[in-house]
Amino acid sequence: QKKCLGKMGEVASEGRTVLFVSHNMAAVRALCSKGMVLGNGRIEYVGDIDATIYRYVQKIKIMKGVELIDRKDRKGSKWLTFSKISIFDKFDNEIKQVTSGQDIRIRFYYKSSKWVKSASVNIAFNVRNEIGYIITNLNSFDSGDAVQEIGNDGFFQCEWEKFNLKSGSYDCNLFCSVNGDIVDWIQSAFSIHVEDGDYYNSGRIIGKEQGDILVPHRWSSHV
């Protein structure tokens, strides 16, 4: 992807026209001078890139106002579809806002027309900051948790210990495949709202001035 973006930037600087389609607003802003917002195959807006990104972000906010079960802009075979996403603390209390350093559990509730035992499930969500830059991707393949059982309804759970993002609202896409079949794929499926906390148990609240991510680390002196 890095090579591809570099080549497109090079070609564009030579005066040739490049059509770049992406949900990554940081890459769009870096590469493009004009933009176009599409919806259901139709052009909704054309203008300079900053105005286009603003329109796109507003469109995402409207989409998130629709209950997940009612979203029509999903892709996949849809015999399994996600109906709700909820976040819980380590005591199983549902929470609307996460504090940096908190242990959380994200539950992805689904409905399925099939019952599948020992399925190879890749459930994934990426986390994007306020300008659309992908910070991380969490998925069951990379964590070694791909073998899952699927019922007619239930939920997959992702445990994120010592939540390490700083304050802000993070946009998340959601993807799921079962035995290689993409069953549900939703852009901007949910948000994670975060407040700064005492991540290092040092009595200090760490702000966003130095970036989005908190990293566990220690310092020592050796003489």
Side-chain angles (χ1 to χ4, degrees):
Q1 187 182 45
K2 186 177 180 181
K3 285 183 179 179
C4 181
L5 292 175
K7 184 63 178 177
M8 282 191 287
E10 179 184 322
V11 170
S13 68
E14 295 172 354
R16 297 165 64 184
T17 300
V18 177
L19 178 63
F20 179 59
V21 183
S22 178
H23 292 279
N24 186 331
M25 294 300 102
V28 169
R29 177 175 276 128
L31 281 172
C32 304
S33 57
K34 292 185 178 180
M36 178 186 299
V37 178
L38 302 177
N40 298 317
R42 297 178 179 274
I43 298 173
E44 295 183 350
Y45 180 79
V46 178
D48 71 78
I49 199 61
D50 287 333
T52 303
I53 290 173
Y54 175 80
R55 290 292 186 104
Y56 174 81
V57 171
Q58 297 308 306
K59 178 182 172 72
I60 294 300
K61 288 180 180 178
I62 293 171
M63 287 167 53
K64 287 180 181 174
V66 179
E67 293 292 332
L68 191 63
I69 191 65
D70 297 323
R71 289 277 294 271
K72 305 299 182 185
D73 57 320
R74 60 212 314 153
K75 297 179 181 179
S77 56
K78 302 176 188 175
W79 59 262
L80 181 150
T81 55
F82 292 103
S83 56
K84 186 176 73 167
I85 299 164
S86 297
I87 302 176
F88 296 81
D89 65 16
K90 65 181 179 181
F91 303 109
D92 263 355
N93 299 308
E94 187 171 358
I95 56 176
K96 299 298 182 184
Q97 191 162 271
V98 179
T99 302
S100 299
Q102 190 173 19
D103 294 339
I104 66 169
R105 301 165 181 171
I106 307 176
R107 291 179 183 170
F108 301 89
Y109 295 88
Y110 66 82
K111 295 185 180 298
S112 171
S113 61
K114 302 179 183 180
W115 193 294
V116 187
K117 292 188 175 181
S118 299
S120 177
V121 179
N122 184 17
I123 175 168
F125 66 97
N126 62 30
V127 182
R128 303 184 295 181
N129 65 13
E130 292 170 351
I131 61 171
Y133 184 81
I134 296 176
I135 297 172
T136 189
N137 179 285
L138 287 76
N139 66 82
S140 57
F141 270 19
D142 289 346
S143 66
D145 302 313
V147 179
Q148 304 278 350
E149 182 174 0
I150 296 172
N152 293 127
D153 55 61
F155 62 85
F156 302 112
Q157 178 168 282
C158 176
E159 297 185 23
W160 191 335
E161 296 179 358
K162 204 168 175 61
F163 188 87
N164 61 327
L165 299 182
K166 296 181 184 177
S167 62
S169 183
Y170 297 89
D171 179 56
C172 302
N173 296 336
L174 178 58
F175 172 93
C176 185
S177 68
V178 180
N179 295 331
D181 175 28
I182 298 174
V183 292
D184 206 9
W185 187 359
I186 312 170
Q187 299 288 336
S188 299
F190 67 105
S191 295
I192 302 176
H193 304 290
V194 185
E195 284 294 325
D196 291 322
D198 184 6
Y199 181 83
Y200 298 108
N201 294 318
S202 63
R204 291 171 54 85
I205 302 297
I206 311 299
K208 291 196 67 169
E209 296 79 11
Q210 302 299 322
D212 292 321
I213 301 173
L214 294 154
V215 179
H217 65 282
R218 293 183 179 278
W219 292 87
S220 61
S221 174
H222 302 266
V223 295

